[in-house]
């Protein structure tokens, strides 16, 4: 059976948690019995040579076929390890299903083969992690299985898993019973969620594939992946409140970054032709289905390009990622099929508002905008400034209805202090957002590189802050100094990686694509 260890085992009865229950007590009693039998319940390692998926794929596709021994072939020896997810004990023989990172496979254990190790197996529970060495065969019912020659306990589970039960109905449909479905519990105990819900693990496998796809796309165009500071003396690059911390050695307050835009543009000043970063950003804001205070952005800046060029690039980047992750250009979210195939619809912000509301707000001052918003049913008493009012009108009345990928372009200058003024339209900047499934996915500019204009924009933002708009951007003297050395024309892009993952994996909450989303403190 298992490894033996000369070290003194921990007393299972010591340090019991307050919430221990009868099932947990029984598992601790089993642990004591195993230790008394000379079994080390937590050995140091186990050599794994095979996976469940590889064994199932390689043994043969014919259901009900004979075993390799029956076919006159030498049996295939394997060594697997994983968590016990089902148990059927039958006297001197037993079956269990073992789940590893690739899937589940059945194991067959006989007392005649295992000797004392089989007696230890009788003290196993669902959730225990075990190693099995043996050979592959097919049962009379046609299930590919591992006939155990040796068996080892690798980790005794002291808490029972909320095991999901599946049954096939008369129509061949898989019906799930008693799933670990409580959302809050799943997010708090993601380790349990991942252990008992393989489709949840697959979401994060596909998220990793998304990163690989984007990196391949951008690296193939010669852009450099970089890292910029998370702790910043000034925060900027977005409209948001920051998290504040204190650095003891310097005796200064620092901010967790809300965006990495200003640092990446400093690198363009320094001479790089194109840079990008997968950035962890932090915004001290509310939480909902599309917002978490800690989130991931891809930001890309390319010299000598503009927002029109960037529109084409983002279409190609996203559809490439969709094909790499899902095998095609479409995805399904909430019963809606979304098609990322280019070209995407393009519409100006003012036209999008007029099409949806019947109201033309172009050129209106703050008072007129406030009145127009009121007529449209919006409460704007706490909204300060023309840009914020226009953003509220668009976000509340237009954005939720944009389901297929839509490029909304040409924003009012008040909404975009870091974007270049439009080359032909007064009061407008060269900016676009991509809206998909009713929420923002991407934001992009022709980047402002005039240091005098940038200083004036920052100063207008500071005026808004003095009026109570706490999310207005702050004046960054070092960034202006960088622009004064000269930044070439450039296009910039930000993509919400969490939101793109939601779209490509069919999830409707950001917390379903984060391993450990932010939660309220757990009640004791």
């Amino acid at each position: 059976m298992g490894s033996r260890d000369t070290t003194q085992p921990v007393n299972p009865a010591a340090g019991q948690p307050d919430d221990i229950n009868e099932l947990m007590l029984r598992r601790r009693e089993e642990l004591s019995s195993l230790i008394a039998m000379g079994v080390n319940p937590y050995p140091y390692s186990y050599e794994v040579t095979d996976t469940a998926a590889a064994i199932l794929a390689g043994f043969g596709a014919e259901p009900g076929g004979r075993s390799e021994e029956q076919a006159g072939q030498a049996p295939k020896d394997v060594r697997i390890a994983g968590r016990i997810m089902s148990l059927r004990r039958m006297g001197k023989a037993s079956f269990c299903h073992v789940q590893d990172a690739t899937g589940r496979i059945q194991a067959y254990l006989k007392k005649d083969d295992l000797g004392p190790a089989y007696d230890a197996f009788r003290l196993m529970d669902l959730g225990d992690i075990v190693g099995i060495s043996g050979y592959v065969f097919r049962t009379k019912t046609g299930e590919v299985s591992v006939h155990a020659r040796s068996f080892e306990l690798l980790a005794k589970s002291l808490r029972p898993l909320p095991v999901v039960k599946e049954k096939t109905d008369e129509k061949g449909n898989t019906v799930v019973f008693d799933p670990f479905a409580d959302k809050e519990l799943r997010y708090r105990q993601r380790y349990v969620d991942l252990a008992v819900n393989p489709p949840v693990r697959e979401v994060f496998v596909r998220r990793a594939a998304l990163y690989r796809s984007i990196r391949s796309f951008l690296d193939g165009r010669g852009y450099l992946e970089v890292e910029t500071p998370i702790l910043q003396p000034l925060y900027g690059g977005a409209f948001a409140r920051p998290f504040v911390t204190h650095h003891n050695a310097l005796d200064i307050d620092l901010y967790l970054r809300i965006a990495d835009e200003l640092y990446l543009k400093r690198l363009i000043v320094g001479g790089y032709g194109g840079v990008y970063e997968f950035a962890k950003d932090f915004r001290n804001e509310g939480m909902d289905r599309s917002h978490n205070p800690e989130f991931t952005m891809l930001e890309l800046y390319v010299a000598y390009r503009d927002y029109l060029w960037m529109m084409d690039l983002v279409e190609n980047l996203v559809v490439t990622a969709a094909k790499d992750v899902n095998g095609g250009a479409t995805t399904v979210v909430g019963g809606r099929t979304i098609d990322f195939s280019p070209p995407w619809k393009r519409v100006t912000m003012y036209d999008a508002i007029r099409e949806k509301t019947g109201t033309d707000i172009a050129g209106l001052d703050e008072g007129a905008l406030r009145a127009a918003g009121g007529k449209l049913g919006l409460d704007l008493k706490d909204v300060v400034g023309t840009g914020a009012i226009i953003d509220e009108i668009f976000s509340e009345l237009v954005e939720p209805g944009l389901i297929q990928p839509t490029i909304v372009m040409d924003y009012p200058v008040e909404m975009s202090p870091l974007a270049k003024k439009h080359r032909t339209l007064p009061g407008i900047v060269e900016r676009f957002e991509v809206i998909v499934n009713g929420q923002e996915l991407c934001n992009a500019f022709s980047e402002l590189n005039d240091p005098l204009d940038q200083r004036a924009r920052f100063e207008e933002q500071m005026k808004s802050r003095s009026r109570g708009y706490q999310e207005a951007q702050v004046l960054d003297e070092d960034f202006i100094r960088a622009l004064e050395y000269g930044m070439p024309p450039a296009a910039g892009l930000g993509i919400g990686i969490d939101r793109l993952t939601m779209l490509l994996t069919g999830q409707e909450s950001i917390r379903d694509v984060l391993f450990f989303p932010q939660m309220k403190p757990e009640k004791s």
Side-chain angles (χ1 to χ4, degrees), residues 282-303:
F282 307 84
R283 297 181 186 175
N284 202 345
E285 59 190 12
M287 298 185 295
D288 58 31
R289 296 174 72 84
S290 61
H291 293 87
N292 191 70
E294 176 184 349
F295 60 97
T296 304
M297 289 286 294
L298 166 77
E299 292 205 34
L300 165 71
Y301 294 83
V302 182

Side-chain angles (χ1 to χ4, degrees), residues 191-209:
Y191 38 88
V192 178
D193 190 26
L194 295 169
V196 303
N197 289 320
V200 175
R201 294 206 306 274
E202 178 61 24
V203 168
F204 294 96
V205 170
R206 291 162 73 186
R207 179 175 178 129

Side-chain angles (χ1 to χ4, degrees), residues 165-215:
K165 301 174 184 178
E166 295 184 355
K167 182 179 180 180
T168 303
D169 64 18
E170 62 276 4
K171 296 182 179 179
N173 300 315
T174 299
V175 182
V176 179
F177 298 93
D178 301 323
F180 185 54
D182 181 273
K183 285 283 188 179
E184 181 168 335
L185 196 58
R186 286 180 51 213
Y187 300 144
R188 288 192 187 281
Q189 300 182 21
R190 181 66 87 185
Y191 38 88
V192 178
D193 190 26
L194 295 169
V196 303
N197 289 320
V200 175
R201 294 206 306 274
E202 178 61 24
V203 168
F204 294 96
V205 170
R206 291 162 73 186
R207 179 175 178 129
L210 172 61
Y211 280 87
R212 291 194 298 272
S213 175
I214 293 175
R215 281 195 171 97

